[in-house]
Amino acid sequence: MPNQNLAVPELAAIQIDGMTRSSFLMKSALAAGAVYGTATVGPFVKQAFAQEGGGGDVDILNFALTLEYLEAAYYDMGLKETKGLKGDAKAVAEQLAKDENEHVEFLTSAISDAGGEPVKAPGVQFMDAFASQDSFLKLAQTFEDTGVSAYNGAGPQLQNKDFLAAAGTIVQIEGRHAALIRFLNGVDITEGAFDKTLEMEEVLTAVQPFIKA
Amino acid sequence: MEETRLEAPREGTALGEISRDETSRKRFLKLVGGTGAASALAILVAACGDDEESSTTGGSGGSSTQETSTGQSTKADNGDVEIVNYALTLEYLEADFYQQVLDSGEITDKAIAEAAKKIGMNEQEHVDALKATVEQLGGTPVEAPATKFEDVIAGGPKMILATAAQVENLGAAAYLGQAALIKSPEILAAALSIHTVEARHAAALNQLAGNKFQGNDPLVGSIPDGAFAKPMTMEQVLKKVQPFLA
């Protein structure tokens, strides 16, 4: 693991049921790839995630915007396509879809206001995640946990304190989403007392199976 | 009326003085050098304490000795120490609450008791980590506040759960309120990693308490502010926790 690239390598080294956190997420990404088939990363993804080690606030916000697009698309599509989605799970999915779409709108404006060019919505593929309520919620958990770690990793790199404050108001919501989904999945709401931090590169690895050109 | 017990540390307060006092800062740095506390945050701060001022002669990067150079303490910002102490006070309060709740035996529902236990353990880890961080930064950790949860606990499981749900929403808002004020990127990273755990607790406890996504009160609901969480200032938070302070 390229732990020296982590902002908080010690947190990443914390064990989750015998696995390091990095390998835990990596394993999720690999498992997704294994289950759903090899995904190709198109030029678009490279563009959206191109910055290495942080290329300024606008790049970080665009990185966040791509993740939010991905989450919003997941819930929008999931609400339409998931077989047997009902009750609390449906209500949570509706709320989360609303929140993620608001995040997309907010980040798009913020990037424009900062003089940047907001990235376009990525092409997405969720394989057979919508085959059942269980599979829908399972992948939702990965997205929300990854979102939390992505924002937490990017936060300290933001130069503009207003952007940092804004990222904070969003990441708290991602954390709440993650807990609600985990609650529905019947698993622990946290992996220990400190949420893991992910670098952009690691986030890309985690989400790349779901993005297509 | 001891209303000022938890007053936010600011210029001229005892806490402010202590955190600016060079001697106690050094004393504590020395103390910390000897502990083997394996808290994630303590290690984090230690790891990030490689002072940029010291000349980087020939690959000295991997030095693991706890040489408490003044470089580290000058790097530590007094404001950060105060913020971490503030967070520590809130975490003490939370940890104590769950401990008292569990000790009371009022929670008979197994799932809820289990959740309270796990969340309480998280809070205790936050206490340990924040305490070590204050020391690492050369400050003096605040004492655990004297608490007053008797009325809440006597109110039974429903009131306990409703209070826990509110306190966690408060905690999340409190961390959010400090994020942009933290100077050190390392302390910020650590605070963020705790902030989202508080958010997770808050959402789950509001769900367990039977609250909807949003409630009538800003501190009620699993996603009480909608898509964008609202921060709270120290003053706002301290006012809300006053009823729980003895």
Side-chain angles (χ1 to χ4, degrees):
Chain A
M1 293 276 95
N3 267 357
Q4 65 275 21
N5 291 334
L6 288 170
V8 192
E10 290 73 23
L11 291 180
I14 291 169
Q15 298 285 310
I16 300 171
D17 298 337
M19 267 190 269
T20 67
R21 285 167 185 264
S22 301
S23 65
F24 172 74
L25 262 208
M26 201 60 90
K27 209 161 174 176
S28 310
L30 291 175
V35 172
Y36 301 123
T38 317
T40 50
V41 185
F44 170 81
V45 187
K46 289 211 165 66
Q47 183 205 320
F49 293 102
Q51 63 278 22
E52 306 235 343
D57 285 3
V58 166
D59 285 346
I60 293 171
L61 295 183
N62 261 327
F63 167 76
L65 176 56
T66 303
L67 286 183
E68 297 288 354
Y69 265 130
L70 187 65
E71 289 182 320
Y74 185 70
Y75 295 115
D76 285 346
M77 289 169 70
L79 279 166
K80 284 187 201 126
E81 297 178 22
T82 304
K83 291 180 181 67
L85 181 64
K86 59 181 190 322
D88 283 351
K90 189 170 181 230
V92 167
E94 283 167 350
Q95 176 68 35
L96 271 51
K98 188 170 164 284
D99 293 345
E100 307 301 7
N101 278 295
E102 285 188 45
H103 293 168
V104 166
E105 278 177 42
F106 173 84
L107 288 168
T108 303
S109 306
I111 292 164
S112 297
D113 291 350
E117 195 179 327
V119 289
K120 301 251 181 323
V124 294
Q125 54 188 6
F126 299 117
M127 295 67 122
D128 54 1
F130 305 135
S132 70
Q133 180 169 294
D134 283 354
S135 58
F136 169 70
L137 291 175
K138 200 172 166 211
L139 188 53
Q141 183 179 320
T142 301
F143 282 139
E144 297 297 345
D145 281 343
T146 304
V148 167
S149 296
Y151 274 100
N152 281 350
Q157 295 176 39
L158 286 167
Q159 300 299 313
N160 182 319
K161 291 290 175 189
D162 291 339
F163 291 156
L164 171 61
T169 71
I170 294 178
V171 71
Q172 184 183 120
I173 303 308
E174 302 296 333
R176 289 172 184 274
H177 289 176
L180 290 175
I181 294 283
R182 282 173 166 266
F183 194 85
L184 289 168
N185 283 337
V187 298
D188 281 353
I189 55 166
T190 72
E191 303 281 356
F194 304 92
D195 264 322
K196 175 184 166 29
T197 298
L198 283 178
E199 286 290 288
M200 288 186 188
E201 214 173 289
E202 295 174 291
V203 175
L204 168 60
T205 307
V207 301
Q208 83 182 22
F210 312 108
I211 294 183
K212 59 182 182 189
Chain B
M1 282 278 116
E2 279 188 292
E3 289 210 299
T4 53
R5 181 184 289 280
L6 238 184
E7 193 172 293
R10 47 177 99 85
E11 293 292 323
T13 63
L15 185 56
E17 289 302 320
I18 289 163
S19 63
R20 274 185 291 278
D21 176 27
E22 189 75 18
T23 322
S24 57
R25 192 156 53 223
K26 277 186 182 152
R27 193 154 32 108
F28 273 95
L29 273 173
K30 212 171 169 185
L31 265 177
V32 168
T35 69
S39 93
L41 226 72
I43 300 165
L44 163 70
V45 174
C48 296
D50 52 334
D51 39 335
E52 284 136 19
E53 295 101 307
S54 77
S55 57
T56 46
T57 42
S60 63
S63 167
S64 61
T65 51
Q66 280 277 335
E67 176 52 73
T68 54
S69 66
T70 46
Q72 193 173 325
S73 56
T74 49
K75 215 181 135 194
D77 190 88
N78 287 335
D80 283 359
V81 171
E82 291 181 1
I83 290 169
V84 179
N85 257 332
Y86 162 66
L88 174 59
T89 304
L90 295 177
E91 297 287 356
Y92 265 131
L93 191 83
E94 289 182 328
D96 187 45
F97 176 59
Y98 292 107
Q99 192 57 55
Q100 287 193 38
V101 164
L102 290 167
D103 290 348
S104 75
E106 282 284 340
I107 303 288
T108 48
D109 182 297
K110 250 180 133 182
I112 294 177
E114 186 62 24
K117 196 176 153 202
K118 282 181 178 165
I119 292 174
M121 279 166 65
N122 286 167
E123 309 300 10
Q124 186 56 49
E125 279 191 57
H126 294 166
V127 165
D128 296 343
L130 292 170
K131 199 169 165 226
T133 302
V134 173
E135 291 173 347
Q136 195 74 49
L137 290 173
T140 305
V142 287
E143 297 288 321
T147 58
K148 194 173 62 181
F149 292 116
E150 289 79 4
D151 293 350
V152 172
I153 290 168
K158 213 178 158 190
M159 186 182 270
I160 290 171
L161 208 47
T163 304
Q166 281 207 31
V167 166
E168 292 290 347
N169 272 340
L170 195 61
Y175 274 94
L176 183 55
Q178 299 306 311
L181 303 174
I182 296 172
K183 302 273 193 332
S184 152
E186 292 79 27
I187 302 291
L188 173 61
L192 288 173
S193 78
I194 296 178
H195 167 236
T196 43
V197 168
E198 298 295 327
R200 288 170 187 260
H201 293 168
L205 282 164
N206 274 277
Q207 180 74 24
L208 272 174
N211 295 333
K212 297 190 167 69
F213 297 122
Q214 275 102 42
N216 295 325
D217 186 289
L219 288 178
V220 174
S222 56
I223 314 178
D225 309 313
F228 304 96
K230 288 198 174 73
M232 286 175 81
T233 64
M234 270 191 201
E235 283 71 20
Q236 289 170 323
V237 171
L238 296 176
K239 204 175 155 195
K240 287 283 181 189
V241 299
Q242 279 298 336
F244 307 123
L245 296 172

